[in-house]
């Protein structure tokens, strides 16, 4: 669900109604096929017309600080039959890639060679998103739920960005001693509002 979430943020009904939300550049792949490219136009989420792998890589290059600097975040589901390097079977794996590593990965995909990584391969659904450091140095996770009585709830946590989003890290889901922390009230209210806006748009 997390990988296919992006399709819920962009209307395909032809209504012309777009979600107001700033996002990084996001490319959605299925195996070696680039299925969609989600991006921002004037703060609204839209689908890129005629997406291509060279164009996406070029876009990442415009914001990267160099070949060895972080350029993208790769997300995919581990397909291993057993735990390896601390990654449980069928877990969502996320890795920060430099611009050079991103280019090497997309070059193989363009040649229709399914990349095989230490924690699985990219034969299924996976995404690449541009690497953007947040203004306040934190990563925020908002978990939405709605029970049988239609009572809505949003559990919101934050992590420091730097210790977990490093190119050398195995996965950005490994937070070590920097566990989740609750946000202060003003930030929490803003995130709750954004979360509800996305959910109601997707409905």
């Amino acid at each position: 669900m997390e990988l296919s979430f992006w399709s819920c943020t962009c209307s395909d009904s032809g209504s012309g109604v777009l979600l107001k939300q700033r996002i990084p550049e996001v490319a959605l792949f299925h195996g070696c096929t680039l299925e969609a490219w989600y991006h921002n136009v004037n703060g609204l989420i839209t689908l890129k017309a005629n997406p291509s792998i060279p164009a996406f890589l070029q876009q990442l290059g415009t914001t990267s600080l160099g070949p060895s600097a972080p350029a993208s975040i790769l997300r995919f589901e581990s397909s291993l039959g057993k735990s390896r390097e601390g990654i449980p079977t069928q877990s969502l794996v996320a890795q920060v890639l430099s611009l050079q590593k991103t280019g090497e990965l997309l070059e193989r995909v363009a040649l229709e060679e399914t990349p095989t990584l230490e924690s699985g391969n990219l034969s299924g659904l996976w995404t690449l998103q541009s690497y953007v450091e947040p203004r306040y140095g934190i990563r925020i996770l908002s978990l939405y739920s709605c029970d049988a009585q239609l009572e809505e709830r949003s559990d919101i946590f934050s992590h420091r960005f730097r210790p977990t989003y490093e190119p050398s890290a195995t996965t950005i889901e490994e937070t070590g001693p920097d566990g989740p922390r609750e946000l202060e009230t003003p930030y929490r209210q803003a995130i709750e509002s954004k979360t509800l806006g996305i959910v109601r748009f997707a409905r």
Side-chain angles (χ1 to χ4, degrees), residues 27-38 47-48 51 124-126:
L28 177 68
F29 292 83
H30 192 281
C32 294
T33 302
L34 173 58
E35 295 200 334
W37 176 354
Y38 301 93
L47 275 171
K48 186 81 169 180
L125 202 63
W126 56 282

Side-chain angles (χ1 to χ4, degrees), residues 105-153:
L105 172 68
L106 291 179
E107 182 178 358
R108 294 174 62 187
V109 172
L111 294 173
E112 298 187 355
E113 298 177 1
T114 302
T116 299
L117 309 175
E118 291 182 346
S119 2
N121 62 57
L122 304 183
S123 60
L125 202 63
W126 56 282
T127 63
L128 270 179
Q129 70 178 58
S130 58
Y131 180 92
V132 181
E133 291 203 27
R135 180 181 300 175
Y136 300 110
I138 56 175
R139 174 195 177 210
I140 298 172
L141 178 64
S142 179
L143 302 176
Y144 171 86
S145 62
C146 183
D147 61 23
Q149 285 71 45
L150 301 182
E151 185 72 27
E152 294 180 308
R153 177 174 174 174

Side-chain angles (χ1 to χ4, degrees), residues 5-197:
F5 160 79
W6 295 103
S7 62
C8 298
T9 67
C10 197
S11 176
D12 59 358
S13 64
S15 65
V17 178
L18 301 175
L19 178 63
K20 186 177 182 180
Q21 179 72 37
R22 293 194 177 276
I23 63 169
E25 302 289 328
V26 180
L28 177 68
F29 292 83
H30 192 281
C32 294
T33 302
L34 173 58
E35 295 200 334
W37 176 354
Y38 301 93
H39 70 142
N40 257 251
V41 175
N42 298 324
L44 303 174
I45 300 179
T46 64
L47 275 171
K48 186 81 169 180
N50 303 315
S52 70
I53 290 176
F56 184 75
L57 182 59
Q58 183 179 17
Q59 178 63 39
L60 295 181
T62 62
T63 56
S64 176
L65 298 178
S68 60
S72 68
I73 299 175
L74 166 67
R75 290 180 181 273
F76 66 101
E77 190 175 75
S78 171
S79 58
L80 297 178
K82 59 181 179 180
S83 179
R84 183 175 179 179
E85 295 184 355
I87 303 171
T89 302
Q90 297 302 319
S91 65
L92 188 68
V93 179
Q95 296 178 336
V96 177
L97 303 179
S98 67
L99 183 61
Q100 179 179 339
K101 292 294 185 182
T102 303
E104 292 172 357
L105 172 68
L106 291 179
E107 182 178 358
R108 294 174 62 187
V109 172
L111 294 173
E112 298 187 355
E113 298 177 1
T114 302
T116 299
L117 309 175
E118 291 182 346
S119 2
N121 62 57
L122 304 183
S123 60
L125 202 63
W126 56 282
T127 63
L128 270 179
Q129 70 178 58
S130 58
Y131 180 92
V132 181
E133 291 203 27
R135 180 181 300 175
Y136 300 110
I138 56 175
R139 174 195 177 210
I140 298 172
L141 178 64
S142 179
L143 302 176
Y144 171 86
S145 62
C146 183
D147 61 23
Q149 285 71 45
L150 301 182
E151 185 72 27
E152 294 180 308
R153 177 174 174 174
S154 181
D155 294 311
I156 301 171
F157 304 96
S158 67
H159 292 278
R160 285 182 296 145
F161 184 85
R162 274 291 183 178
T164 51
Y165 281 73
E166 293 290 343
S168 58
T170 301
T171 80
I172 61 175
E173 305 302 335
E174 295 175 352
T175 59
D178 181 39
R181 297 172 293 178
E182 291 197 9
L183 286 175
E184 297 178 3
T185 300
Y187 299 112
R188 167 179 283 276
Q189 291 175 341
I191 298 302
E192 283 179 345
S193 177
K194 288 181 177 293
T195 300
L196 289 176

